[in-house]
């Protein structure tokens, strides 16, 4: 190759000289004295003149050129290349010197015989009067050196042995798309043996119809060199559908490398079968956007759909739509009564009922749990949306059949629906979903199993509830939760321990007491991470406090049933103990009496498992007396302590109240349970004889709940 280039260089310098000398010398003279074919062009490609050598190699007939512009003679894929070369000559940079190898380019041109022929070329500027013109110097590529042919053969051999080592099919085609080389891996991708396919058309490897579309794009790769691809926006590879000899159509990916061999251009195609990858991609994409259980779209699919809906609205192709937020009523009870599997079946059935009720054009999603979302893309008026809501209500309220252990049960659930109209109630994702959600809350507030269309004057309480639920989701991350500790005294003596009580410092609404958000957190599941945070934080705080003050205070923590229901609750407590290093004998878990009644068997198993692992941990029944737990049931639980509900203490010394407390106290005493009196505010309450049997006293009489640093002061002052 080197020889050839230097030969061209000489030629270039000759021309350069002739141009340098050409001031005032007519272009005819230069052109006829050039050894190349020369075509004189205007900037826009209009052909001004051709020299006789050009006429010869382009086989131009007596009648002259068949075109006025050079671009009419050149296949479209070469146009950008020629244009960019002309542009470079208009704005020459220091790098564009004609000696440079890359200035020499290869292109194809239509000859007088209506055949395409390859040429090598350079572009040179020539100023004619005040006009800028260009000489396109062309010559036929030659490769007559025997040494060169030998070298090429050598390269070819190396190339072949290399291409045999890779797992991709390597196929080389010529400009007529004839396969001139194929490696052994071709059989793996296409089912054809390399001998069998060599000499055949590349088209054999594709469905006919498709190949017609592919061919022009593939052809580009012949002529656009690797480095020029970026400039004219061509990718390094194409993804196509190919036809395998045995297996039908499958997706492939081709990378291209073009080369110029002798007179012809060839194209090396490196081909991978990507059907495996495509399948996985498709599956992953589907999984990412769909709910596994019901096969409905998920939150992410909804987000993408609603975004494109708003786009369609701003372009005017859709004018009205409606968004429904659905939340099943009574699903939790069914789930708790009949188990998760029955719950899952109801969700699947619900999805099917929604599909049956709605039109093809309506979109249905499941956001998780028992929340569904419907997007109606074709609704004109509020009353249309209401009609659909009524249909949904009717369809969901039909009873669900649950087959369990060969027995067939019926369950009925309802649905609360919140409706927001688009664009009336919002024209962006956040506003419209918030408003549909708010309307849904309002439907729940109004007594469930109904729909509510959003309006600005939705009840305050729905908004409040919504604000709390939404805020809960990020409260932990934003570190808005903190703990207070209320001292618990040994009756008549000093402090013995503390109860951890959670607080929420809401961004805009100040401190929210637990009664206002714990039920919501239990409903939306946030109680699990929140409860774990409380355990970790409190155990850590009290362990450090005990070490610092050389005390041995116990710690009482409130546990929600949701936490108790976790199958790994004992392991979770074990983890807390190991992480925080609190002596398990100082840990007390408070479980509300009413909660204990929800699933006694399961709770009893869990608590027994916990006690087996950590016998030192004490279980306390909180708010005792409020519920009506049976004695026999209580005796089966590994409980050591009860906390008498605040209400009984407050009502001291009311006579009826006193009767109830004394029966509670006697009961606990008989069962050898220790007792805590909670909510003791006055000296009178404290001194009432009934409390003499209580081991511990807690209440404002001693102290309100305190932040940890205030608790330290409190203990020091004792
Ligand atoms: P609880 O477990 O019965 O907690 C005792 C409540 O009584 C606390 O209210 C406490 O501030 C209040 N209290 C204590 N002494 C007196 C008194 O002398 N007079 C009066 N009137 N009240 C007194 P708080 O902190 O508002 O907690 C309310 C409930 O929230 C708790 O009732 C408990 O059920 C729940 N809770 C608090 N923290 C947590 C927690 O970390 N996890 C869970 N699951 N629930 C918690
Ligand atoms: Ca408590
Ligand atoms: Ca209590």
């Amino acid at each position: 190759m080197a020889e050839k280039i230097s030969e061209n260089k000489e030629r270039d310098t000759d021309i350069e000289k002739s141009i340098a000398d050409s001031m005032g010398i007519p272009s005819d003279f230069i052109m006829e004295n050039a050894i190349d074919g020369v075509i004189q062009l205007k900037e826009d490609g209009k052909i001004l003149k051709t020299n006789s050598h050009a006429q010869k190699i382009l086989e131009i007939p007596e009648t002259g050129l068949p075109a006025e512009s050079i671009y009419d003679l050149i296949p479209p894929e070469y146009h950008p290349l020629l244009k960019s070369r002309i542009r470079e000559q208009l704005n020459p940079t220091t790098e564009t010197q004609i000696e440079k190898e890359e200035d020499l380019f290869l292109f194809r041109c239509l000859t007088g015989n209506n055949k395409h022929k390859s040429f090598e070329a350079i572009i040179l500027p020539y100023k004619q009067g005040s006009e800028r013109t260009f000489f396109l110097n062309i010559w036929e590529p030659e490769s007559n050196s025997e040494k060169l042919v030998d070298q090429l053969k050598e390269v070819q051999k190396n190339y072949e042995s290399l291409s045999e080592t890779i797992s991709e099919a390597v196929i080389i085609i010529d400009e007529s798309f004839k396969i001139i080389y194929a490696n052994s891996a071709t059989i793996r991708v296409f089912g054809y043996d390399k001998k069998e396919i060599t000499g055949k058309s590349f088209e054999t490897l594709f469905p006919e119809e498709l190949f017609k579309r592919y061919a022009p794009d593939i052809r580009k790769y012949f002529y656009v060199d690797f480095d020029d691809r970026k400039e004219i926006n061509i990718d390094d590879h194409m993804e196509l559908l190919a036809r395998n000899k045995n297996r039908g159509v499958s997706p492939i990916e081709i990378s291209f490398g073009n080369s110029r061999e002798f007179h012809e251009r060839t194209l090396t195609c490196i081909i991978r079968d990507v059907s495996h990858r495509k399948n996985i991609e498709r599956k992953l994409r589907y999984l990412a956007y769909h709910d596994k259980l019901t096969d409905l779209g998920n939150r992410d699919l909804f987000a993408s759909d609603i975004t494109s809906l708003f786009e369609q609205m701003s372009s005017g192709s859709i004018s009205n739509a409606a968004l429904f937020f659905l939340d099943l009523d009574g699903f939790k009870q069914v789930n708790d009564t009949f188990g998760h599997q029955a719950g899952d079946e109801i969700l699947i059935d619900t999805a099917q009922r929604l599909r049956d009720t709605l039109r093809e054009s309506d979109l249905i999603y499941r956001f998780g749990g028992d929340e569904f979302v419907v997007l109606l893309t074709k609704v004109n008026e509020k009353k249309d949306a209401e009609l659909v809501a009524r249909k949904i209500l009717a369809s969901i309220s039909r009873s669900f059949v649950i087959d369990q252990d060969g027995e067939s049960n019926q369950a009925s659930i309802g649905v609360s629906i919140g409706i927001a109209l688009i664009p009336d109630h919002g024209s962006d994702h956040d506003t419209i979903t918030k408003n549909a959600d708010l309307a849904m809350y309002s439907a729940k507030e109004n007594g469930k199993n109904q729909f509510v269309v959003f309006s600005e004057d939705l009840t305050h309480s729905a908004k409040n509830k919504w604000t709390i639920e939404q805020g809960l989701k990020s409260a932990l991350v934003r570190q808005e939760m903190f703990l207070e500790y209320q001292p618990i005294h040994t009756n008549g003596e000093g402090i013995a321990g503390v109860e951890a009580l959670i607080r929420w410092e809401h961004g805009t609404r100040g401190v929210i007491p637990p009664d206002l958000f714990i039920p919501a957190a239990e409903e939306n599941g946030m109680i699990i991470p929140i409860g774990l945070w409380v355990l970790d934080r409190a155990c850590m705080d009290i362990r450090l406090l005990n070490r610092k003050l050389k005390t041995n205070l116990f710690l009482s923590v409130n546990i929600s049933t949701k936490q108790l229901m976790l199958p790994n609750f004992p392991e979770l407590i074990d983890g807390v103990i190991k992480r925080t290093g609190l002596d398990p004998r100082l840990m007390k878990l408070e479980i509300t009496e009413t909660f204990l009644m929800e699933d006694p068997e399961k709770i009893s198993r869990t608590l027994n498992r916990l006690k087996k692992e950590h016998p030192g941990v004490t279980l306390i029944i909180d708010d005792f007396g409020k519920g009506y737990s049976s004695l026999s049931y209580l005796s089966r639980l590994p409980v050591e302590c009860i906390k008498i509900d605040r209400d009984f203490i407050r009502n001291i010394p009311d006579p009826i109240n006193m009767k109830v407390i004394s029966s509670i106290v006697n009961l606990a005493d008989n069962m050898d349970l220790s007792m805590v009196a909670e909510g003791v505010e006055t000296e009178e309450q404290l001194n009432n004889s009934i409390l003499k049997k209580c081991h511990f006293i807690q209440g404002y009489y001693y102290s309100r709940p305190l932040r940890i640093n205030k608790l330290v002061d409190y203990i020091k002052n004792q």
Side-chain angles (χ1 to χ4, degrees):
M1 290 287 191
E3 258 171 65
K4 195 168 162 204
I5 285 163
S6 65
E7 191 187 313
N8 286 335
K9 258 192 202 161
E10 269 164 37
R11 188 201 318 259
D12 295 344
T13 343
D14 282 347
I15 287 177
E16 197 181 17
K17 228 181 264 152
S18 68
I19 287 176
D21 294 341
S22 76
M23 302 305 175
I25 302 172
S27 58
D28 281 350
F29 180 81
I30 302 169
M31 287 175 76
E32 284 313 324
N33 282 294
I35 50 170
D36 299 321
V38 182
I39 307 170
Q40 193 184 15
L41 304 172
K42 283 177 49 162
E43 189 183 330
D44 62 3
K46 188 173 190 284
I47 298 171
L48 296 172
K49 244 179 262 154
T50 48
N51 72 357
S52 49
H53 189 58
Q55 281 159 21
K56 202 174 116 212
I57 56 179
L58 283 173
E59 299 161 48
I60 297 172
E62 296 290 297
T63 47
L65 268 174
E68 291 206 334
S69 165
I70 188 75
Y71 292 114
D72 294 334
L73 297 176
I74 299 178
E77 54 267 28
Y78 292 104
H79 292 189
L81 206 70
L82 184 60
K83 279 181 186 152
S84 83
R85 289 297 144 92
I86 290 178
R87 240 191 349 262
E88 276 167 19
Q89 293 301 336
L90 281 173
N91 316 301
T93 61
T94 43
E95 284 160 49
T96 23
Q97 294 164 358
I98 47 173
E99 279 104 323
K100 289 193 73 185
E101 188 187 345
E102 49 264 52
D103 276 338
L104 191 154
F105 62 98
L106 193 120
F107 77 111
R108 277 170 80 75
C109 186
L110 204 62
T111 66
N113 293 339
N114 231 349
K115 270 170 63 185
H116 278 106
K117 205 166 160 185
S118 296
F119 295 99
E120 288 180 342
I122 52 168
I123 280 278
L124 300 165
Y126 177 79
K127 204 158 183 191
Q128 185 161 292
S130 62
E131 197 178 15
R132 281 179 158 283
T133 73
F134 300 88
F135 289 143
L136 173 64
N137 289 43
I138 60 173
W139 61 93
E140 291 176 277
E142 36 202 325
S143 56
N144 43 15
S145 147
E146 274 186 28
K147 196 171 152 219
L148 186 68
V149 173
D150 286 347
Q151 278 172 347
L152 275 173
K153 277 187 184 153
E154 184 67 20
V155 169
Q156 179 93 13
K157 265 213 318 257
N158 290 340
Y159 176 83
E160 280 181 24
S161 54
L162 189 68
S163 78
E164 282 302 312
T165 64
I166 68 173
S167 60
E168 283 95 345
V170 178
I171 290 177
I172 302 179
I173 54 179
D174 70 9
E175 283 171 297
S176 65
F177 282 127
K178 194 173 84 187
I179 296 173
I180 56 177
Y181 171 82
N183 72 345
S184 302
T186 303
I187 195 159
R188 300 219 327 237
V189 180
F190 292 105
Y192 287 103
D193 183 81
K194 60 178 178 181
K195 291 216 182 70
E196 187 182 6
I197 197 67
T198 308
K200 296 250 170 61
S201 165
F202 198 43
E203 192 177 349
T204 318
L205 304 176
F206 298 88
E208 246 166 81
E209 281 312 303
L210 290 181
F211 193 74
K212 279 191 196 123
R213 273 201 300 160
Y214 297 156
D217 286 328
I218 297 176
R219 191 173 285 285
K220 282 186 200 154
Y221 288 92
F222 275 101
Y223 313 118
V224 182
D225 289 331
F226 195 82
D227 295 333
D228 293 324
R229 285 183 195 164
K230 252 217 184 77
E231 194 173 336
I232 62 170
N233 253 332
I234 297 186
D235 269 339
D236 279 340
H237 65 265
M238 287 175 79
E239 286 191 10
L240 308 171
L241 287 177
R243 190 173 57 191
N244 184 288
K245 187 182 177 190
N246 318 306
R247 281 185 288 122
V249 175
S250 61
I252 56 161
E253 186 186 272
I254 313 187
S255 308
F256 297 98
N258 59 345
S259 62
R260 207 189 310 140
E261 284 175 7
F262 305 100
H263 293 280
E264 286 292 318
R265 284 230 147 184
T266 61
L267 188 63
T268 304
C269 308
I270 300 173
I271 307 170
R272 284 167 288 277
D273 183 335
V274 291
S275 42
H276 181 61
R277 196 185 79 203
K278 286 275 147 191
N279 276 338
I280 291 176
E281 275 175 8
R282 203 174 308 128
K283 247 185 228 152
L284 283 180
R285 206 172 311 135
Y286 190 85
L287 280 181
Y289 284 108
H290 287 83
D291 166 46
K292 254 213 227 111
L293 183 68
T294 59
D295 218 22
L296 294 174
N298 64 10
R299 219 178 263 274
D300 292 331
L301 185 62
F302 170 75
S304 124
D305 286 354
I306 193 110
T307 309
S308 57
L309 180 101
F310 287 129
E311 277 165 17
Q312 282 170 286
M313 291 192 101
S314 54
S315 73
S317 53
I318 287 184
S319 54
N320 288 297
L323 179 62
F324 287 25
F325 265 45
L326 285 70
D327 194 287
L328 300 183
D329 303 321
F331 175 75
K332 188 183 167 304
Q333 285 88 315
V334 174
N335 212 27
D336 291 347
T337 317
F338 296 104
H340 279 291
Q341 200 163 347
D344 284 355
E345 271 164 34
I346 286 183
L347 293 173
I348 293 169
D349 197 358
T350 303
Q352 193 51 45
R353 288 185 193 193
L354 290 174
R355 285 190 194 103
D356 294 344
T357 310
L358 297 164
R359 288 199 230 147
E360 197 80 8
S361 59
D362 302 333
L363 305 167
I364 316 171
Y365 312 84
R366 178 174 171 236
F367 273 19
D370 55 357
E371 287 175 57
F372 293 84
V373 167
V374 170
L375 188 56
L376 305 181
T377 53
K378 285 181 186 153
V379 348
N380 290 323
E381 291 179 71
K382 184 173 157 190
K383 70 178 199 315
D384 298 346
E386 291 177 344
L387 188 74
V388 176
R390 271 188 209 102
K391 278 200 210 160
I392 294 177
L393 281 170
S395 136
I396 303 295
S397 52
R398 286 197 333 264
S399 60
F400 290 80
V401 178
I402 298 165
D403 289 317
Q404 213 175 28
D405 308 328
E407 228 181 283
S408 185
N409 294 297
Q410 298 219 332
S412 47
I413 55 173
V415 59
S416 296
I417 306 175
I419 303 176
L421 302 172
I422 305 171
D424 297 7
H425 301 145
S427 40
D428 62 79
H429 174 272
D430 285 352
T431 315
I432 203 70
T433 52
K434 178 183 169 181
N435 289 344
D437 206 13
L438 266 173
M440 196 273 290
Y441 269 80
S442 181
K444 288 247 184 232
E445 291 273 308
N446 292 356
K448 304 187 174 176
N449 206 27
Q450 54 183 284
F451 69 84
V452 165
V453 180
F454 174 81
S455 71
E456 288 302 335
D457 47 66
L458 276 182
T459 59
H460 247 311
S461 67
K463 270 192 190 162
N464 271 346
K465 217 179 153 210
W466 190 86
T467 314
I468 284 181
E469 276 222 15
Q470 294 305 309
L472 269 179
K473 292 178 186 161
S474 54
L476 270 187
V477 184
R478 298 186 195 190
Q479 303 192 309
E480 292 171 345
M481 300 285 182
F482 66 93
L483 293 179
E484 287 188 335
Y485 298 93
Q486 188 174 33
I488 299 173
H489 281 243
T490 308
N491 202 345
E493 292 171 34
I495 182 169
V498 294
E499 176 178 4
L501 294 160
I502 192 170
R503 307 287 178 252
W504 177 12
E505 172 92 58
H506 189 276
T508 53
R509 304 194 24 197
V511 176
I512 304 179
D515 288 333
L516 286 185
F517 68 85
I518 293 287
E522 280 171 341
E523 215 166 288
N524 72 8
M526 282 306 291
I527 192 67
I528 302 296
I530 291 175
L532 187 60
W533 175 82
V534 170
L535 278 162
D536 271 336
R537 175 87 257 168
C539 291
M540 196 73 89
D541 278 356
I542 298 308
R543 187 183 78 99
L544 291 177
L545 178 139
N546 277 334
R547 194 165 68 184
K548 197 168 149 197
L549 303 181
K550 303 210 163 44
T551 49
N552 218 14
L553 301 182
F554 66 77
L555 166 70
S556 229
V557 180
N558 295 288
I559 302 294
S560 145
T561 5
K562 271 278 164 67
Q563 291 171 277
L564 265 187
M565 290 295 185
L566 289 174
N568 64 343
F569 181 73
E571 289 75 21
L572 188 140
I573 295 295
D574 182 53
V576 172
I577 290 170
K578 295 210 166 106
R579 260 198 306 283
T580 63
L582 184 80
D583 181 347
R585 284 169 302 180
L586 297 179
M587 182 189 263
K588 297 181 193 269
L589 303 179
E590 299 190 10
I591 302 150
T592 308
E593 185 194 1
T594 41
F595 283 167
L596 283 176
M597 308 300 289
E598 281 185 13
D599 189 349
E601 289 304 315
K602 191 170 173 189
I603 290 181
S604 155
R605 274 200 305 275
T606 307
L607 293 179
N608 281 314
R609 212 149 63 79
L610 170 66
K611 284 292 280 188
K612 211 170 153 198
E613 175 81 25
H614 288 293
V617 174
T618 310
L619 299 173
I620 302 182
I621 299 182
D622 203 356
D623 302 344
F624 192 83
K626 244 189 180 166
Y628 304 92
S629 21
S630 78
L631 237 180
S632 66
Y633 167 53
L634 277 188
S635 63
R636 277 192 283 141
L637 290 176
V639 167
E640 288 104 341
C641 181
I642 59 166
K643 224 181 209 189
I644 301 165
D645 190 62
R646 276 208 302 279
D647 281 354
F648 298 112
I649 309 294
R650 195 182 60 225
N651 290 326
I652 291 175
D654 174 84
I656 299 177
N657 180 63
M658 293 318 289
K659 279 192 180 155
V660 183
I661 307 193
S662 71
S663 71
I664 290 174
V665 169
N666 287 330
L667 171 88
D669 203 29
N670 285 338
M671 288 176 70
D672 264 345
L673 298 170
S674 72
M675 279 171 270
V676 185
E678 176 182 50
V680 176
E681 294 186 5
T682 65
E683 194 135 13
E684 187 197 355
Q685 290 166 346
L686 182 70
N687 290 332
N688 191 292
S689 62
I690 198 77
L691 294 194
K692 290 286 169 267
K693 281 190 178 163
C694 289
H695 310 82
F696 299 107
I697 307 289
Q698 175 182 2
Y700 294 172
Y701 174 78
Y702 287 115
S703 170
R704 291 184 170 258
L706 304 166
R707 300 287 293 244
I708 186 79
N709 50 342
K710 287 275 181 323
L711 176 67
V712 171
D713 295 343
Y714 179 86
I715 297 167
K716 282 182 179 162
N717 287 335
Q718 287 263 303

